[in-house]
Amino acid sequence: AELADLPQALRWREWMARVEAVLFASSEPVGREVLARVVGRDCALDLLIEDISAELAGRPYEIARIAGGWQFRTKPQHAAAIRAARKEGEEGRDFTPNEALVLTIIAYMQPVTRGAISRLTGREVSRDLIARLHRQALIARGPRSPEPGAPYTYVTTPGFLIQFGLETLRDL
Protein backbone atom coordinates (compact mmCIF):
# COMPACT_ATOMS: atom_id res chain seq x y z
CA ALA A 1 0.00 0.00 0.00
CA GLU A 2 2.87 2.39 0.68
CA LEU A 3 4.24 2.42 -2.91
CA ALA A 4 7.53 3.86 -1.71
CA ASP A 5 9.23 3.06 -5.03
CA LEU A 6 7.02 5.52 -6.97
CA PRO A 7 7.62 9.27 -7.21
CA GLN A 8 5.31 11.28 -4.94
CA ALA A 9 3.02 12.53 -7.75
CA LEU A 10 2.50 9.04 -9.19
CA ARG A 11 2.03 7.55 -5.74
CA TRP A 12 -0.68 10.15 -4.96
CA ARG A 13 -2.44 9.37 -8.26
CA GLU A 14 -2.34 5.64 -7.54
CA TRP A 15 -3.72 6.18 -4.05
CA MET A 16 -6.54 8.33 -5.50
CA ALA A 17 -7.40 5.57 -7.98
CA ARG A 18 -7.39 2.92 -5.27
CA VAL A 19 -9.61 4.91 -2.90
CA GLU A 20 -12.01 5.77 -5.71
CA ALA A 21 -12.20 2.09 -6.73
CA VAL A 22 -12.94 0.97 -3.16
CA LEU A 23 -15.65 3.60 -2.73
CA PHE A 24 -17.15 2.77 -6.11
CA ALA A 25 -17.34 -0.94 -5.30
CA SER A 26 -18.92 -0.48 -1.87
CA SER A 27 -22.64 -0.22 -1.25
CA GLU A 28 -22.02 0.98 2.32
CA PRO A 29 -19.96 3.90 3.66
CA VAL A 30 -16.28 2.99 3.84
CA GLY A 31 -14.47 3.92 7.04
CA ARG A 32 -11.04 5.44 7.54
CA GLU A 33 -9.57 2.12 8.76
CA VAL A 34 -10.49 0.35 5.51
CA LEU A 35 -9.11 3.13 3.32
CA ALA A 36 -5.93 3.28 5.42
CA ARG A 37 -5.32 -0.39 4.57
CA VAL A 38 -5.47 0.57 0.89
CA VAL A 39 -3.18 3.62 0.98
CA GLY A 40 -1.14 3.19 4.14
CA ARG A 41 -1.30 4.94 7.49
CA ASP A 42 0.98 7.83 6.49
CA CYS A 43 -1.28 9.04 3.68
CA ALA A 44 -3.25 12.26 4.29
CA LEU A 45 -6.58 10.59 3.60
CA ASP A 46 -8.69 13.73 4.01
CA LEU A 47 -6.58 15.60 1.45
CA LEU A 48 -6.71 12.62 -0.89
CA ILE A 49 -10.51 12.53 -0.75
CA GLU A 50 -10.63 16.31 -1.30
CA ASP A 51 -8.58 15.85 -4.48
CA ILE A 52 -10.88 13.09 -5.70
CA SER A 53 -13.90 15.26 -4.92
CA ALA A 54 -12.40 18.16 -6.86
CA GLU A 55 -12.00 15.91 -9.91
CA LEU A 56 -15.65 14.84 -9.58
CA ALA A 57 -16.95 18.42 -9.44
CA GLY A 58 -18.70 18.26 -12.82
CA ARG A 59 -19.92 14.69 -12.47
CA PRO A 60 -23.47 13.68 -11.45
CA TYR A 61 -22.14 11.99 -8.31
CA GLU A 62 -19.97 13.00 -5.38
CA ILE A 63 -18.20 11.58 -2.37
CA ALA A 64 -20.25 12.19 0.78
CA ARG A 65 -19.14 11.79 4.38
CA ILE A 66 -21.85 9.56 5.87
CA ALA A 67 -22.14 7.37 8.97
CA GLY A 68 -18.47 7.77 9.89
CA GLY A 69 -17.17 6.90 6.42
CA TRP A 70 -17.27 7.95 2.79
CA GLN A 71 -19.63 6.85 0.06
CA PHE A 72 -20.41 7.75 -3.54
CA ARG A 73 -23.78 9.48 -3.75
CA THR A 74 -25.71 10.78 -6.70
CA LYS A 75 -26.17 14.54 -6.52
CA PRO A 76 -29.72 15.49 -5.48
CA GLN A 77 -30.52 17.19 -8.78
CA HIS A 78 -30.23 13.81 -10.56
CA ALA A 79 -32.55 11.85 -8.23
CA ALA A 80 -35.57 12.25 -10.53
CA ALA A 81 -33.67 10.76 -13.46
CA ILE A 82 -32.68 7.72 -11.41
CA ARG A 83 -36.25 7.18 -10.19
CA ALA A 84 -37.51 7.43 -13.77
CA ALA A 85 -34.94 4.88 -14.97
CA ARG A 86 -35.99 2.49 -12.21
CA LYS A 87 -39.66 3.22 -12.88
CA GLU A 88 -40.08 4.39 -9.29
CA GLY A 89 -42.58 7.04 -8.37
CA GLU A 90 -42.47 9.57 -5.61
CA GLU A 91 -45.31 7.83 -3.76
CA GLY A 92 -44.54 5.32 -1.05
CA ARG A 93 -41.12 6.77 -0.30
CA ASP A 94 -42.13 9.21 2.41
CA PHE A 95 -42.74 8.52 6.07
CA THR A 96 -46.20 8.89 7.52
CA PRO A 97 -46.50 11.80 9.95
CA ASN A 98 -46.55 9.35 12.88
CA GLU A 99 -43.46 7.52 11.63
CA ALA A 100 -41.62 10.80 11.13
CA LEU A 101 -42.58 12.00 14.60
CA VAL A 102 -41.53 8.77 16.32
CA LEU A 103 -38.28 8.60 14.34
CA THR A 104 -37.50 12.21 15.28
CA ILE A 105 -38.13 11.54 18.97
CA ILE A 106 -35.93 8.44 18.90
CA ALA A 107 -33.14 10.28 17.08
CA TYR A 108 -33.08 13.19 19.53
CA MET A 109 -33.84 11.40 22.80
CA GLN A 110 -32.24 7.98 22.40
CA PRO A 111 -32.23 5.64 24.15
CA VAL A 112 -35.97 6.09 24.69
CA THR A 113 -38.80 3.68 25.55
CA ARG A 114 -42.04 3.31 23.62
CA GLY A 115 -43.88 4.56 26.72
CA ALA A 116 -41.79 7.72 26.83
CA ILE A 117 -42.46 8.30 23.13
CA SER A 118 -46.20 7.88 23.78
CA ARG A 119 -46.05 10.41 26.62
CA LEU A 120 -44.24 12.92 24.40
CA THR A 121 -46.66 12.52 21.49
CA GLY A 122 -49.75 12.43 23.66
CA ARG A 123 -51.02 9.27 22.00
CA GLU A 124 -50.24 5.56 22.00
CA VAL A 125 -47.34 4.51 19.79
CA SER A 126 -48.10 1.08 18.38
CA ARG A 127 -45.73 -1.85 18.31
CA ASP A 128 -46.48 -2.07 14.58
CA LEU A 129 -45.09 1.40 13.95
CA ILE A 130 -41.93 0.54 15.90
CA ALA A 131 -41.67 -2.74 13.97
CA ARG A 132 -41.94 -0.93 10.59
CA LEU A 133 -39.08 1.41 11.51
CA HIS A 134 -37.08 -1.58 12.77
CA ARG A 135 -37.68 -3.55 9.52
CA GLN A 136 -36.39 -0.57 7.56
CA ALA A 137 -33.19 -0.77 9.67
CA LEU A 138 -33.68 2.80 10.91
CA ILE A 139 -33.97 1.89 14.60
CA ALA A 140 -32.81 -0.93 16.83
CA ARG A 141 -33.37 -2.05 20.38
CA GLY A 142 -31.17 -0.31 22.87
CA PRO A 143 -30.44 -1.22 26.47
CA ARG A 144 -33.26 -2.11 28.83
CA SER A 145 -34.63 0.86 30.73
CA PRO A 146 -34.07 0.91 34.52
CA GLU A 147 -37.77 1.67 35.10
CA PRO A 148 -40.18 -1.00 36.39
CA GLY A 149 -40.68 -3.84 33.93
CA ALA A 150 -37.35 -3.02 32.25
CA PRO A 151 -38.86 -2.08 28.87
CA TYR A 152 -36.70 -1.97 25.79
CA THR A 153 -35.34 1.34 24.65
CA TYR A 154 -34.88 2.28 21.01
CA VAL A 155 -31.94 3.90 19.26
CA THR A 156 -31.13 4.87 15.69
CA THR A 157 -28.88 2.72 13.51
CA PRO A 158 -26.16 3.38 10.94
CA GLY A 159 -28.96 2.82 8.39
CA PHE A 160 -30.66 5.93 9.82
CA LEU A 161 -27.50 7.96 9.22
CA ILE A 162 -27.23 6.62 5.69
CA GLN A 163 -30.92 7.22 4.91
CA PHE A 164 -30.66 10.87 5.93
CA GLY A 165 -27.11 11.51 4.71
CA LEU A 166 -25.68 12.25 8.15
CA GLU A 167 -22.13 11.62 9.26
CA THR A 168 -23.05 11.48 12.95
CA LEU A 169 -26.07 12.22 15.13
CA ARG A 170 -24.49 15.58 15.97
CA ASP A 171 -25.41 16.60 12.41
CA LEU A 172 -29.08 16.58 13.41
Side-chain angles (χ1 to χ4, degrees), residues 1-5 11 15 18 36 38-43:
E2 302 300 332
L3 304 174
D5 55 325
R11 184 176 341 146
W15 283 341
R18 289 178 180 190
V38 173
V39 296
R41 299 258 176 231
D42 295 333
C43 177

Side-chain angles (χ1 to χ4, degrees), residues 30-47:
V30 180
R32 181 175 296 278
E33 316 78 46
V34 173
L35 294 178
R37 286 196 309 258
V38 173
V39 296
R41 299 258 176 231
D42 295 333
C43 177
L45 195 53
D46 293 315
L47 294 175

Side-chain angles (χ1 to χ4, degrees), residues 29-171:
V30 180
R32 181 175 296 278
E33 316 78 46
V34 173
L35 294 178
R37 286 196 309 258
V38 173
V39 296
R41 299 258 176 231
D42 295 333
C43 177
L45 195 53
D46 293 315
L47 294 175
L48 189 75
I49 291 187
E50 282 180 27
D51 283 356
I52 297 169
S53 294
E55 286 189 358
L56 298 175
R59 309 297 298 168
Y61 50 88
E62 62 192 354
I63 297 176
R65 184 120 171 116
I66 298 172
W70 291 273
Q71 184 176 29
F72 273 119
R73 285 286 176 111
T74 304
K75 291 180 179 174
Q77 64 262 32
H78 301 290
I82 292 171
R83 279 194 296 275
R86 291 183 175 178
K87 297 181 182 176
E88 294 177 2
E90 292 289 333
E91 62 281 343
R93 298 181 59 83
D94 292 333
F95 295 105
T96 67
N98 283 340
E99 288 172 335
L101 179 61
V102 169
L103 194 54
T104 301
I105 290 170
I106 293 171
Y108 280 98
M109 307 211 48
Q110 63 186 306
V112 62
T113 64
R114 192 168 60 90
I117 297 168
S118 293
R119 285 189 296 278
L120 285 167
T121 61
R123 59 181 171 250
E124 185 64 28
V125 173
S126 73
R127 285 186 170 93
D128 291 339
L129 189 149
I130 296 292
R132 274 194 308 276
L133 295 174
H134 188 267
R135 277 193 305 275
Q136 293 175 40
L138 298 172
I139 65 170
R141 284 186 177 159
R144 295 260 189 181
S145 175
E147 61 189 67
Y152 283 108
T153 61
Y154 296 96
V155 297
T156 57
T157 63
F160 171 85
L161 297 174
I162 293 167
Q163 172 77 28
F164 293 100
L166 302 171
E167 182 179 353
T168 68
L169 288 174
R170 286 184 295 247
D171 295 336

